Amino acid sequence: MIGAALNLAAAAGAVALLILWIRALIDWDGKKSCDMDCRSCPFPPCEKHGEGESHE
């Protein structure tokens, strides 16, 4: 009985995460977040920051 409840909770959590992901895709504007902290930025350089430039 407890196993069934845990499986149901896990399935509900997975559905909730799927809904959140789809909602985030809908709200996303397609632009990468780019600021002047290029060392910690996980994205490739933006258009205004040319390739290979140092931005320190």
Side-chain angles (χ1 to χ4, degrees):
M1 188 69 156
I2 292 174
L6 290 175
N7 285 337
L8 185 61
V15 169
L17 285 175
L18 179 65
I19 291 170
L20 286 173
W21 177 65
I22 291 171
R23 183 67 187 175
L25 284 176
I26 292 169
D27 291 340
W28 184 50
D29 62 359
K31 296 180 182 177
K32 295 178 182 175
S33 176
C34 187
D35 57 11
M36 296 307 291
D37 187 12
C38 294
R39 287 182 181 213
S40 65
C41 185
F43 302 112
C46 296
E47 294 80 26
K48 68 180 181 179
H49 298 137
E51 289 283 336
E53 288 182 14
S54 177
H55 311 294
E56 298 176 35

